[in-house]
Amino acid sequence: RSYEASYRARLRTLIKEWQTLAHEVTLLFNHAVGKLQHEAGALALLKEVGPQQVALHQGKGRENGVATLLEQTDEEWADQYFYLGWWNTVKMRGLALVGSGEGNSLGGVLRMHIIPRIRQVVQQGMQQLRSEVISRGVLDEATAAESLRHITSVILHEVETRMVADGSVSLKRPQVLHALHVALRV
């Protein structure tokens, strides 16, 4: 009995709380962001993020109104990450007033075709990065920098070139990059 009590006491001193882990991950990624900001392209858009961003998304999900990129609805994606342009917005409002079906409008195409494809690309990319961290067994600064390069050069590039290439909508690049950055940390 005393052995078990001493074992549990030692174990409590070794196990880190999630706040400590969030702070360590934040320091690790912020150091990598600081180094990568001098590289060209989308990496220059990366900003340092505090541990409160990780804490907001830590195991809370939808019940507290804070959702990660992958937990957000298609409507939230359309509002937060895409710019339809003033003419497309006017056309959509006009169609809504006339009572036309949403499936034929640009917003309907965005929600039914473009966003699900982008969500799939993001999920696959995040799963690949997670499996890489698990296979390495450690999250170090090199892995963090490589992950940040991956979300900017592979995921963001694929979304911009393949998914949104037709020009009917444009991507809010800083917002998408920030959401990917936070999702990567969580």
Side-chain angles (χ1 to χ4, degrees):
R1 198 146 169 89
S2 67
Y3 174 76
E4 184 178 345
S6 66
Y7 174 77
R8 288 183 185 265
R10 284 192 318 256
L11 184 61
R12 276 193 296 274
T13 62
L14 294 176
I15 296 176
K16 296 180 181 179
E17 295 181 8
W18 69 267
Q19 293 95 342
T20 306
L21 289 174
H23 184 68
E24 288 177 4
V25 168
T26 297
L27 290 175
L28 184 72
F29 273 97
N30 284 347
H31 194 260
V33 165
K35 286 185 174 182
L36 293 175
Q37 280 184 335
H38 304 292
E39 294 185 17
L43 289 169
L45 294 174
L46 289 173
K47 302 290 181 209
E48 293 183 356
V49 177
Q52 66 274 16
Q53 288 291 325
V54 177
L56 281 174
H57 301 288
Q58 182 63 31
K60 294 182 180 176
R62 294 309 261 153
E63 60 266 8
N64 288 343
V66 179
T68 63
L69 178 70
L70 296 174
E71 295 169 341
Q72 291 176 336
T73 65
D74 291 348
E75 290 77 22
E76 290 172 321
W77 275 55
D79 292 340
Q80 292 180 14
Y81 307 122
F82 294 97
Y83 178 70
L84 299 177
W86 71 272
W87 181 244
N88 288 325
T89 304
V90 169
K91 285 189 334 189
M92 282 180 34
R93 289 189 180 152
L95 288 173
L97 288 174
V98 173
S100 291
E102 185 185 349
N104 298 330
S105 71
L106 184 60
V109 170
L110 183 66
R111 285 186 194 94
M112 292 195 304
H113 299 291
I114 296 174
I115 291 175
R117 288 182 11 210
I118 292 173
R119 187 184 303 272
Q120 183 181 15
V121 167
V122 170
Q123 284 175 339
Q124 289 172 349
M126 291 298 168
Q127 287 173 352
Q128 178 185 354
L129 292 171
R130 172 178 267 168
S131 65
E132 185 176 324
V133 169
I134 291 171
S135 69
R136 287 186 180 190
V138 67
L139 178 64
D140 57 355
E141 187 178 334
T143 307
E146 190 176 306
S147 300
L148 291 170
R149 281 190 189 102
H150 182 78
I151 65 170
T152 57
S153 64
V154 176
I155 297 174
L156 187 65
H157 180 72
E158 185 169 341
V159 166
E160 287 179 327
T161 57
R162 292 189 183 168
M163 311 289 177
V164 192
D166 65 354
S168 57
V169 294
S170 60
L171 197 64
K172 294 180 181 176
R173 213 169 184 218
Q175 288 87 343
V176 172
L177 190 59
H178 175 74
L180 283 170
H181 186 190
V182 171
L184 180 64
R185 292 177 184 218
V186 172

